[in-house]
Amino acid sequence: EDTARQIAAYRPDRIVVLPLYPQFSSTTTLSGFEAFRKAYKGPGETHYVCCYADNPRFIKAHADAIAAVIGGLKAPETYRLLFSAHGLPEAIIKRGDPYAEQVEASVRRIMDALAVDMDYAICYQSRVGPLNWIGPSTDEMIREAGRDGKPVILVPVAFVSEHIETLVELDIEYAHLAQAAGVPDYVRVPALGVDPGYIAALRDEVVKAIGAGAAVSGDHDCAACHTFCPKRRAA
C-alpha cells in the first residue's frame, strides 16, 4: 500500500510490475498482481510480467553459478545436483497451477546449458501443515543421497535472493540433516541475487513488457493454458 501511494504521487506514464518469482504460481505471482491492482489507484498504463522461467539469461545465470561451484570440486561427477524449490499443496497443482511445470522447465534448460553428465533431481522444501504437498521433498532427497553415498550440490532454483529459506533452512537445517544422513559432502549454490546475468534477464523482461504493449507478458509457454493464467484474464 505504501509503495502504491508513492507510485501514484509520482504519476508515471507506464508501470511494469516485475515479480521476483521466476516461476508463476497463483499463490505468489498472481496474488501479488491482485494486491497491486487493489492498492494502486493512480494513473499510468500498467504492464505485468507473469513469469520468466525460460528466460535465456536467467537460465545461463543459474548454469554459470552451478559451474562456478563445480569448478572448485575435486570430483564433481560424483555429486548429485538437487534443485530445490518452494513446495505447494498438491490440491493447488491439481487445480491447474503451472508452478511445478515451470520449475521442471527451468531445470531442464539449466541442465542443457550446463552440459555436464551429472546425476540430478528436483525437490521441494518448506512443507508445512497437514495437507499433501508436491514432492519429492528436499529432506527426503537429502536422506536418499546419504543412503546412496552421494555428495550433494543444492541449487535454490526458485529463490533469487538469500532469506530465511536459504540461509536457515538450506544452510543450517538441511546441512545438519545431510551430516546426520551420512551425505559425504553438502554444498549449496548461492541464490542469484545481483548477478549481472540475472539483472540482465530482468532488464529484458521489462523492455519486452513495455515494447509488447500487452497487459501481461511472460516467457513460458504452458502446455495447456491454466485456469490461473493472467494472460487469459487480461484478454
Side-chain angles (χ1 to χ4, degrees), residues 69 73 78-82 141-146 149-155 178 183-188:
V69 169
L73 301 174
T78 65
Y79 283 71
R80 177 174 296 163
L81 285 165
L82 293 184
M141 293 305 294
I142 290 172
R143 292 189 183 95
E144 182 176 302
K150 298 283 290 186
V152 164
I153 300 172
L154 198 141
V155 184
V183 174
D185 191 22
Y186 178 85
V187 182
R188 206 261 287 180

Side-chain angles (χ1 to χ4, degrees), residues 28 35 39 84 122 186 194 220:
T28 52
S84 186
I122 300 170
Y186 178 85
V194 293
H220 189 75

Side-chain angles (χ1 to χ4, degrees), residues 14 16 47-49 204-217:
R14 290 185 177 182
V16 177
H47 304 271
Y48 297 85
V49 177
D204 291 348
E205 295 300 329
V206 171
V207 171
K208 183 170 63 179
I210 294 172
V216 182
S217 63

Side-chain angles (χ1 to χ4, degrees), residues 22-23 52-67 70 81-85 102-118 120-122 153-160 189-190 192:
Q23 298 88 10
Y52 44 94
D54 295 346
N55 181 290
R57 294 184 193 269
F58 167 70
I59 297 300
K60 186 176 185 302
H62 264 301
D64 288 349
I66 297 168
I70 290 174
L81 285 165
L82 293 184
F83 291 89
S84 186
Q102 292 197 8
V103 169
E104 292 165 6
S106 293
V107 172
R108 284 195 301 271
R109 291 173 182 268
I110 291 167
M111 289 304 298
D112 287 345
L114 198 56
V116 294
D117 185 16
M118 291 182 68
Y120 75 95
I122 300 170
I153 300 172
L154 198 141
V155 184
V157 70
F159 299 123
V160 298
V189 176
L192 296 179

